[in-house]
Amino acid sequence: MIEKKVVTRFAPSPTGFMHVGGVRTALYAYLYAKKHNGTFILRIEDTDKEREVSGATEHIMKSLRFILSGDETLEKIDPWDFGPNNPGEFGSCIQSERLDIYNNYAQKLFDAGLAYTDPYSNDEITAFREQSERAKAPFLYRNHRPKEFSSVWDKTKPLRFKTPTIGRTDWSDAVRGKLTAGAEALDDFIIMKSDGYPTYNFCHIVDDIEMGVTHVMRGEEFIPSTPKFISMYSALQTVLPEKSIELPIFVTLPPILGETGTKKLSKRDGAKDVLEYHTEGYLPEALANYLALQGWNPGGEQEIFTMNELIDLFNISRIQKSGARWNEDKLLWVNKKHMTDKYKEHPKGETLCKRDFYNALPDFVVRDPRFKEQQYPAGSIGSSPDWTTSFHALFERYFERISFWGELTQDLIKAELEMIIDRPNVSKDLVVRDLDINETKLILGEVYNLLYTSDEIVWSEKYLRELLSIAITTHGTKKVLWPLRVSLSGQEKSVDPFSLLRMIGKEEALHRIQNVLDSI
Ligand code: GLU
C-alpha cells in the first residue's frame, strides 16, 4: 500500500486573538507534518462575516511565526507550506476566496437530491423549536423536512443537507478510540446560507477534501458534530466518485484547563494572547516546549526540548485524553531553562544574548538618543572600550533575577538602568544621613584616592572589594560603603556599591564621588 503524504491543517476563524489552546492545536499539526515530511496548511475560516474581527488574520499569522518558526520579527518566516499569503494548487487558503468551490459542491448535492432549499421563515423555525422544548424532545430540523422540494436553487434561501441515512454512527478517533453516537446526532444542517456563504460544517469538509488533509487535529468541542461530518463525507463520496474521497484521521486534542484543573483555561485564569508573551520577552522555543507538553509527552524524565527534538519525538499515540493543566509558574521555569541554555551556548562575546538583552531593554533606554556608545557618560558601561566585558557584568546581574526578558522593564530595574546611564542627583543629606559629616568626607576622600590609583583593566568586583578592604577594616563597613553607594547611585536602595562601580566604570565613578565631595 502506498502511504499517503501527511497533510495537516490549522483552521482558525479570524474572530479574535490567538490564545494558547489555538496555538497548541497549530503546534501539534505542525509537528506531525514536519515529522513526516508532510505539508502543513494554515487555512483561514472566515465565512461567518458577523463574527470576523479586522486584523485577526494578520494576528494569527504573527502568532504562528513567533511560536512555530521562532521568528521574533513576526513578519519573516512562515511555518506553513500553504497559507493566506501562499495559495496551493487547490487555490486560496482563505475560505471567503473559495466560494465558487463550495457552490459547485453544493450544487452537486442539490442536483443529486442530497440538499434542498429551506422553505421556512425564521419565525417558523423558532416555533418548531419551541414545540420541541414543550415536548422536552431535542429539536431536530429533519422532523420538519418539507414534503416537496423546490427543483431550483436560486440562492435566496438557505440550502440544507438532506441527511441520507439516519441511524447510529460509529467511528474511530486516533486519541479517544472508538466513539459512537445515536441517530439524534444527525440532522439536516444548513450548508449554504442565504448570504451566499457556506457554513463551517460544510465548507471545512470541502476544503479538507480539496487540500488532501489526512489528519484533522482539533478540540473535543467538535466530537458531537462528527456524525454530521461523516454523513456529509459519505454523501460527497456518492456525488463525486471520481475524487475517491476518504475520511481523514480524526485526532481529538485534550482541552487545556486552568490551574485548578476543573474548567477550561479562561481569560480569568490568565489565558492570554500569545503575542503578549512576545511583548513580554518570552522565548518562542520555551513556549513551544511548554505548549507541546500540554496534552502530550514523549515519556521519560526530560522536560526541556528544542523544536527539532519535538519534531523528532512527536507522535499521536502519546497524546492524552484527559485535560492538561496550565501552570504559569511552570512556563516561567521552562522559559528560564531555555534562556540559560541559550546563554551557555554563547558564553563570551555572545551575540544572541546581547541581542535579547537589547531587545528587552526598557523603551526609555533604547529610544534615548544617548543609547549610542559615544554619548554615555564617560566611564559608564556603554562607553567602556571593553564593552563586552562590561556588558557581561550588567547582563549577568540581571540574568540571575529574571525568568523572562520583559521583567527587565519592571520599575526597580528601570531605575537601576537609569541610574547607570544618567548621572544621578545626589542628596548630601542622604550621603551623610546619621554619620558624622566631616568623618564621611574624609573617608569618601580616602575611597576616592584608592579608586583613583586603581588599575581599571582589572576592575572586577573581587578586585574592588580587596582594594577597599583596608578602608573597611579601618572604619567599618557602614561608614565606607553607605556614602560610597549613595554617591554612585543617588538612591536610598540600590544594588551593592561593588556592582555599581563595576557597571559604571572607573572614570564615571570618580566623577560621581568628586561631585559629592565638592558638595559636602
Ligand atoms: N474554524 C474552526 C475553529 O476555529 C476550525 C475547527 C477545525 O479545525 O475543523 O474552531
Side-chain angles (χ1 to χ4, degrees):
M1 196 176 92
I2 304 167
E3 287 271 304
K4 268 206 272 179
K5 181 176 172 142
V6 167
V7 180
T8 63
R9 63 10 174 227
F10 176 54
S13 304
T15 51
F17 69 77
M18 277 283 274
H19 55 85
V20 290
V23 184
R24 199 265 324 255
T25 303
L27 175 66
Y28 284 12
Y30 172 79
L31 292 174
Y32 194 71
K34 290 294 124 188
K35 171 161 183 160
H36 295 279
N37 295 319
T39 302
F40 171 62
I41 299 172
L42 169 61
R43 183 171 77 218
I44 301 297
E45 302 209 322
D46 61 341
T47 58
D48 188 347
K49 287 295 164 191
E50 276 164 30
R51 289 181 58 226
E52 189 165 340
V53 172
S54 107
T57 297
E58 269 304 308
H59 198 90
I60 291 166
M61 291 165 78
K62 287 182 177 170
S63 304
L64 298 189
R65 287 189 189 113
F66 175 52
I67 307 268
L68 305 184
S69 307
D71 174 6
E72 307 233 19
T73 72
L74 312 180
E75 303 287 345
K76 295 195 180 131
I77 313 171
D78 296 342
W80 50 87
D81 299 292
F82 302 107
N85 56 349
N86 180 19
E89 274 176 22
F90 47 74
S92 172
C93 293
I94 303 173
Q95 286 189 326
S96 60
E97 296 176 3
R98 301 174 57 78
L99 300 183
D100 285 352
I101 301 173
Y102 311 131
N103 270 306
N104 284 340
Y105 269 70
Q107 190 69 53
K108 287 247 164 22
L109 288 170
F110 184 84
D111 294 346
L114 285 164
Y116 60 93
T117 54
D118 181 343
Y120 301 116
S121 67
N122 281 344
D123 287 347
E124 284 168 310
I125 294 178
T126 311
F128 294 150
R129 204 179 284 279
E130 284 166 2
Q131 206 179 314
S132 311
E133 267 164 33
R134 279 194 300 274
K136 299 209 165 32
F139 169 68
L140 288 168
Y141 186 94
R142 60 177 159 80
N143 290 340
H144 307 274
R145 214 182 251 180
K147 302 275 170 301
E148 282 171 24
F149 301 110
S150 158
S151 58
V152 279
W153 170 33
D154 69 1
K155 306 198 176 163
T156 59
K157 287 275 189 187
L159 195 66
R160 282 192 185 263
F161 179 44
K162 188 159 165 260
T163 311
T165 318
I166 307 292
R168 265 201 110 64
T169 312
D170 296 296
W171 76 101
S172 146
D173 183 288
V175 175
R176 305 281 172 118
K178 297 227 165 304
L179 295 174
T180 180
E184 66 290 348
L186 294 174
D187 200 8
D188 290 359
F189 59 90
I190 294 180
I191 59 175
M192 296 297 291
K193 296 177 283 180
S194 52
D195 64 3
Y197 283 98
T199 56
Y200 161 75
N201 284 349
F202 174 54
C203 63
H204 89 273
I205 294 174
V206 174
D207 286 342
D208 285 344
I209 293 169
E210 288 285 307
M211 297 177 181
V213 171
T214 54
H215 295 74
V216 169
M217 299 189 177
R218 61 188 161 201
E220 62 186 1
E221 61 276 24
F222 293 94
I223 291 181
S225 315
T226 304
K228 291 194 183 79
F229 303 157
I230 292 174
S231 165
M232 174 56 77
Y233 272 101
S234 74
L236 291 173
Q237 279 158 351
T238 320
V239 296
L240 294 161
E242 70 283 5
K243 286 201 182 268
S244 316
I245 296 169
E246 283 177 32
L247 276 186
I249 295 171
F250 296 114
V251 185
T252 295
L253 308 183
I256 299 183
L257 307 172
E259 305 230 351
T260 54
T262 49
K263 54 180 176 33
K264 254 188 151 178
L265 183 67
S266 69
K267 268 193 176 170
R268 230 201 274 139
D269 305 303
K272 48 188 178 188
D273 179 352
V274 185
L275 288 184
E276 277 180 52
Y277 289 109
H278 174 262
T279 313
E280 290 176 7
Y282 281 70
L283 296 180
E285 52 271 51
L287 284 159
N289 183 165
Y290 183 66
L291 279 171
L293 300 178
Q294 290 281 298
W296 168 85
N297 72 77
E301 296 295 302
Q302 190 179 341
E303 290 187 282
I304 301 299
F305 300 92
T306 62
M307 187 55 110
N308 282 338
E309 286 173 321
L310 291 174
I311 292 173
D312 232 35
L313 294 165
F314 189 75
N315 52 8
I316 291 177
S317 58
R318 292 197 62 95
I319 296 177
Q320 71 199 41
K321 285 189 200 143
S322 56
R325 264 193 213 200
W326 187 258
N327 182 334
E328 200 77 24
D329 289 337
K330 187 71 191 260
L331 169 63
L332 276 179
W333 179 82
V334 172
N335 196 62
K336 182 70 190 228
K337 286 269 180 212
H338 278 270
M339 279 173 78
T340 311
D341 285 352
K342 248 182 152 176
Y343 185 47
K344 276 201 229 118
E345 273 172 38
H346 301 267
K348 280 277 172 276
E350 40 60 49
T351 51
L352 200 60
C353 293
K354 192 161 166 180
R355 192 205 65 211
D356 287 341
F357 187 67
Y358 278 138
N359 286 345
L361 282 173
D363 279 356
F364 83 96
V365 182
V366 182
R367 296 217 189 96
D368 189 325
R370 287 164 304 167
F371 196 62
K372 305 247 184 316
E373 298 197 1
Q374 306 78 347
Q375 285 161 305
Y376 276 97
S380 72
I381 48 160
S383 72
S384 158
D386 192 8
W387 162 251
T388 311
T389 321
S390 304
F391 163 77
H392 269 277
L394 187 62
F395 177 80
E396 263 161 21
R397 177 144 310 281
Y398 289 129
F399 193 81
E400 277 166 24
R401 285 199 230 160
I402 60 173
S403 297
F404 59 100
W405 290 108
E407 281 189 89
L408 284 175
T409 59
Q410 285 173 9
D411 289 349
L412 173 75
I413 293 172
K414 194 163 152 170
E416 282 176 18
L417 281 169
E418 242 162 1
M419 169 182 82
I420 291 160
I421 289 164
D422 280 328
R423 208 164 271 171
N425 283 327
V426 185
S427 140
K428 184 182 103 182
D429 291 343
L430 188 62
V431 176
V432 177
R433 202 137 88 174
D434 49 2
L435 303 171
D436 177 86
I437 186 160
N438 291 325
E439 195 186 5
T440 301
K441 192 165 179 171
L442 211 75
I443 295 173
L444 203 53
E446 207 177 307
V447 169
Y448 181 93
N449 290 337
L450 285 169
L451 293 174
Y452 186 80
T453 54
S454 67
D455 181 355
E456 64 188 301
I457 306 292
V458 289
W459 253 52
S460 65
E461 281 168 39
K462 185 164 172 273
Y463 169 77
L464 291 162
R465 268 179 209 283
E466 276 163 23
L467 185 77
L468 299 191
S469 64
I470 314 157
I472 293 170
T473 319
T474 318
H475 306 290
T477 310
K478 185 179 170 190
K479 285 181 186 172
V480 178
L481 296 190
W482 173 268
L484 172 61
R485 197 186 54 70
V486 177
S487 302
L488 299 174
S489 68
Q491 290 175 13
E492 192 172 353
K493 289 192 179 124
S494 71
V495 288
D496 69 275
F498 299 106
S499 310
L500 278 171
L501 285 169
R502 179 73 196 86
M503 288 190 262
I504 65 176
K506 175 172 171 178
E507 205 179 318
E508 177 64 13
L510 290 176
H511 258 289
R512 292 186 188 188
I513 300 170
Q514 185 66 60
N515 280 349
V516 171
L517 284 171
D518 291 346
S519 73
I520 53 178

